[in-house]
Amino acid sequence: ITKVLVSPLKRAIETAQLIFEGQNADIEIEDMLIECDFGSLEGKPIIDVMRENRISRKEQLKEILPDDGEQWSSLLDRGERILGKVNQLQGNNHSVALISHDAVIQGLSELLTGRWFDAAHGEIYKFNPTGGIWAKTNC
């Protein structure tokens, strides 16, 4: 059985339902997968935020998160808890899929591979252990 952990946001739930409809999958809402709270940056175009803060790479956004939002370290803490849950489920012979949002997926990638990557909307990524190091591949 595939266990699908999904963000509580409507768009993520709808995505899970579309992808796993009719399959032998158990869809579970996981609050820890909710998108990062960007505080006063919420709703602003990324390019404008980068320009205003004189940063040139998207990965630098994690360094300028405002105090009225979630900090990157908090997002990584959530990621560690999510990965613990995934490990537990896999230990119970479940295949696990996560449906979440850009910042959360970027944080999980950083925890698994040691580096940030630019997650794209609507893309599927698979993480596999390869010789003790996790690798990300597009599906």
Side-chain angles (χ1 to χ4, degrees):
I1 293 178
T2 298
K3 186 75 159 179
V4 182
L5 303 179
V6 60
S7 161
L9 296 181
K10 183 180 178 183
R11 63 187 185 263
I13 294 168
E14 289 173 349
T15 299
Q17 292 168 337
L18 285 169
I19 293 171
F20 292 98
E21 184 178 0
Q23 296 185 31
N24 190 18
D26 179 22
I27 298 174
E28 176 185 326
I29 303 299
E30 176 50 69
D31 290 337
M32 290 185 294
L33 288 172
I34 197 164
E35 178 62 294
C36 180
D37 176 356
F38 294 104
S40 57
L41 297 179
E42 192 69 46
K44 291 185 177 182
I46 291 174
I47 193 70
D48 293 347
V49 171
M50 291 175 68
R51 221 179 273 127
E52 290 169 10
N53 290 277
R54 295 183 172 88
I55 57 177
S56 58
R57 297 181 331 270
K58 285 185 182 177
E59 67 192 82
Q60 293 171 298
L61 290 166
K62 66 185 182 181
E63 299 165 9
I64 58 126
L65 293 171
D67 292 337
D68 66 342
E70 184 176 17
Q71 297 303 300
W72 191 250
S73 60
S74 172
L75 188 134
L76 292 179
D77 288 344
R78 280 198 287 137
E80 290 281 0
R81 293 193 309 272
I82 292 164
L83 293 175
K85 186 170 184 172
V86 168
N87 284 335
Q88 180 183 16
L89 289 168
Q90 288 176 328
N92 292 328
N93 295 320
H94 289 285
S95 298
V96 182
L98 304 176
I99 298 183
S100 192
H101 312 279
D102 285 353
V104 177
I105 299 300
Q106 290 163 348
L108 290 170
S109 176
E110 186 173 302
L111 290 168
L112 291 169
T113 68
R115 60 185 162 271
W116 189 93
F117 82 102
D118 189 8
H121 293 273
E123 289 292 321
I124 298 172
Y125 301 100
K126 184 175 183 179
F127 292 88
N128 292 313
T130 55
I133 299 170
W134 286 82
K136 173 195 71 70
T137 57
N138 291 35
C139 294

